[in-house]
Amino acid sequence: MADVMAESEADVAVIGGGPAGLHAALVLARGGLSVVLLDESDTLGGQYYKRRAEQLTAAFGDFRPRGTELIRQVRDSGVDCRTGTLVWGAEDGGRTLFTSDVRTGALGRVNTRATLAATGAYERSLPFPGWTLPGVVTPGFALHLATMDRVPVGQRVVLAGTGPFLLPVACALLEVGARIEALVELNHPYRPGVSSIGGALRQPARLAEAARYLLTLARHGVRVEQGSRVLAAHGDTQVTAVDIGQEDGSVKQLETDALCVGFGFRPSTELPRLLGCATEPDPSGTEQLPIVDADGATSVDGLYVAGDCAGIAGVHAAGVRGQLAAHAILRRLSPERPTVRLSGLRRRARALDRFAELADRLYPLPTTADIPDETQVCRCEGVSAGEIRQAAATGWNDLHGTKAATRAGMGPCQGRECGHIVAALAGRNEGAAECFAARMPIRPLPMAATVEGQEVP
Ligand SMILES: Cc1cc2nc3c(=O)[nH]c(=O)nc-3n(C[C@H](O)[C@H](O)[C@H](O)COP(=O)(O)OP(=O)(O)OC[C@H]3O[C@@H](n4cnc5c(N)ncnc54)[C@H](O)[C@@H]3O)c2cc1C
């Protein structure tokens, strides 16, 4: 069969057009390299610099104009920006990338001299009884509706889980007219210990940002209930009530028509793992992160990672890390260029890393040990926590054995949603950082595309 894939070449491929990828692409293009920027979304910007539809921009203004400006600079610098392009596979250390047009399924192959993966993160969900009810969503989804479409996810909303991300989500919901019944924070980050206060004071901008959010919540009379967690959601066709386990051990019920629950983010590491990068457990001990040097170089020659996919550190760190990786690629591919002083960027990167470490300490993850047996864990294949525990108890006590025995993780999400829970439930040690192996295609492809491109490995 003839090779039907459109083939193209570039010095560098940047996968992901969020803050990390955009900053990197700009440095690379300005440094004289040909750059292709691939993103599966319809628009550039990633999570933080998401683009509003034109009519909504006209009505409500530009969402994060800094993102608009950054994207304009990237386009003007001559970067070949390919939105709607999924990278579903890679080989040869990332020098060959396999792509698919998300609208048409048309396949492509990009050959490069170096690749930067800046693929961001997923939201971390943890199952509880009722979490599959309509109206139970992630905070990121609620934020997207509120900021992009100006629609509140519900009139009365309970926000729960852990992490600083719950604060801007609550404020965005208030802005579009939702009433927040409670912000249920698992930990006690807003009455921190002395050591945490010391760490926070070294990050005045981030501290001020958090204070602004908390002030807005206070002005709207939103209760921030620390040390509490969602135990269950109730409703027939839609969530109508939520059980909250409180610090003193009591349980109270809140009526609501939307529940947003999230436990921070999980790095999207499939591509580096597919290419065989050496990995190590992340600070939570539940994810495998690519091992990188200070510039994002991985153990695979010519492959770099930056931004949230290299470790969750937020938008500012993503931008700085993207630039550092781009400078490293420039040094590698254009060694004749004069040396650029990067000490300022490196200092900023280290400071932002310290802030990420502080956040990890303030918002630790809960145990998965108390997920009730009857709770569904793998939503794609309908596998419960009890079935996974039973498989583990009968000898399938590792992630891949449990997957084979129960089908958990074999559905369309390929374990992106449930893999970390299945690992925790099936593993011998709580918190063991196992994950499903990354395999091509790393995302589902249309059947027509796979038939068409049958020469692809
Ligand atoms: C849902 C969500 C909402 C957030 N909201 C906020 C907020 O309000 N405030 C805040 O401070 N921080 C927020 N964050 C965190 C912040 O957005 C991130 O720290 C920051 O965007 C990280 O930048 P990045 O470039 O590493 O990744 P991202 O911004 O996530 O960009 C990654 C890009 O890679 C693309 N991609 C991934 N895999 C592939 C592939 N295989 N092929 C092609 N393209 C691919 C994605 O489409 C995406 O555009 C949010 C994060 C998430 C996940």
Side-chain angles (χ1 to χ4, degrees):
M1 182 182 167
D3 192 346
V4 289
M5 286 206 276
E7 193 151 342
S8 56
E9 315 274 330
D11 288 326
V12 189
V14 176
I15 309 168
L22 286 169
H23 279 283
L26 189 58
V27 170
L28 290 163
R30 286 182 173 168
L33 296 180
S34 61
V35 184
V36 59
L37 177 57
L38 307 158
D39 198 300
E40 63 181 320
S41 300
D42 285 345
T43 54
L44 292 176
Q47 292 296 347
Y48 192 78
Y49 292 134
K50 268 188 183 149
R51 305 292 77 210
R52 255 185 201 148
E54 259 172 43
Q55 302 91 316
L56 286 155
T57 302
F60 298 106
D62 193 359
F63 179 69
R64 298 196 167 132
R66 279 173 99 165
T68 310
E69 177 56 19
L70 180 59
I71 292 168
R72 186 193 63 73
Q73 288 177 2
V74 168
R75 290 193 185 280
D76 288 355
S77 68
V79 173
D80 175 4
C81 298
R82 299 189 200 167
T83 51
T85 305
L86 168 73
V87 177
W88 55 265
E91 61 182 21
D92 189 21
R95 287 181 191 82
T96 304
L97 302 176
F98 300 111
T99 66
S100 144
D101 184 312
V102 298
R103 292 156 297 233
T104 64
L107 297 177
R109 187 194 323 243
V110 181
N111 302 314
T112 72
R113 296 164 65 204
T115 288
L116 172 66
T119 46
Y122 307 110
E123 287 186 271
R124 181 187 277 112
S125 298
L126 293 174
F128 54 88
W131 77 301
T132 54
L133 274 172
V136 181
V137 300
T138 62
F141 177 72
L143 183 71
H144 179 91
L145 276 187
T147 53
M148 293 299 109
D149 302 332
R150 305 287 298 177
V151 172
V153 69
Q155 289 311 313
R156 292 176 311 168
V157 183
V158 173
L159 259 167
T162 193
F165 184 49
L166 298 179
L167 300 179
V169 178
C171 293
L173 283 167
L174 291 171
E175 210 182 307
V176 290
R179 179 186 147 91
I180 311 266
E181 298 295 333
L183 192 156
V184 181
E185 166 59 61
L186 175 73
N187 294 296
H188 297 92
Y190 313 119
R191 52 167 200 245
V194 176
S195 62
S196 311
I197 289 173
L201 287 176
R202 282 196 289 276
Q203 305 285 339
R206 305 281 77 77
L207 200 59
E209 191 181 345
R212 269 199 312 277
Y213 292 139
L214 287 166
L215 219 61
T216 304
L217 299 189
R219 255 203 337 267
H220 284 82
V222 174
R223 290 197 310 273
V224 178
E225 301 187 8
Q226 302 190 67
S228 302
R229 64 184 296 185
V230 167
L231 298 177
H234 306 283
D236 292 329
T237 54
Q238 150 87 28
V239 62
T240 52
V242 184
D243 291 344
I244 310 287
Q246 296 177 288
E247 206 167 5
D248 61 7
S250 63
V251 178
K252 73 169 176 188
Q253 197 167 76
L254 290 176
E255 289 187 4
T256 190
D257 47 35
L259 168 63
C260 312
V261 194
F263 295 84
F265 302 104
R266 305 172 46 228
S268 161
T269 56
E270 293 94 331
L271 278 168
R273 288 189 292 111
L274 177 72
L275 289 165
C277 280
T279 61
E280 62 185 355
D282 78 346
S284 75
T286 62
E287 305 288 337
Q288 283 293 334
L289 286 180
I291 297 173
V292 290
D293 71 9
D295 294 329
T298 67
S299 62
V300 173
D301 189 45
L303 178 68
Y304 296 74
V305 293
D308 275 357
C309 73
I312 306 299
V315 56
H316 305 288
V320 171
R321 292 283 176 201
Q323 291 175 65
L324 284 171
H327 282 290
I329 296 172
L330 275 174
R331 285 197 299 278
R332 175 194 180 92
L333 299 187
S334 307
E336 70 288 352
R337 278 173 51 85
T339 315
V340 180
R341 281 178 65 84
L342 297 173
S343 44
L345 271 183
R346 291 194 198 287
R347 252 197 320 277
R348 190 152 154 68
R350 283 193 298 271
L352 289 162
D353 283 352
R354 283 196 294 276
F355 183 67
E357 284 159 17
L358 174 67
D360 288 336
R361 284 201 303 278
L362 287 176
Y363 302 94
L365 293 175
T367 167
T368 50
D370 50 5
I371 297 175
D373 274 349
E374 62 280 11
T375 306
Q376 205 171 85
V377 169
C378 170
R379 300 173 77 145
C380 301
E381 295 290 324
V383 185
S384 69
E387 288 171 282
I388 295 166
R389 288 190 178 111
Q390 199 181 351
T394 48
W396 297 101
N397 54 359
D398 76 2
L399 184 55
H400 296 94
T402 307
K403 179 179 178 179
T406 64
R407 297 194 56 81
M410 285 197 193
C413 95
Q414 298 171 259
R416 274 186 294 280
E417 293 293 326
C418 67
H420 61 298
I421 319 282
V422 180
L425 294 174
R428 284 168 219 174
N429 310 311
E430 164 75 21
E434 268 195 290
C435 49
F436 290 127
R439 296 216 171 86
M440 285 197 257
I442 62 166
R443 301 281 169 81
L445 284 179
M447 191 60 103
T450 44
V451 172
E452 196 185 317
Q454 51 183 270
E455 289 188 342
V456 182

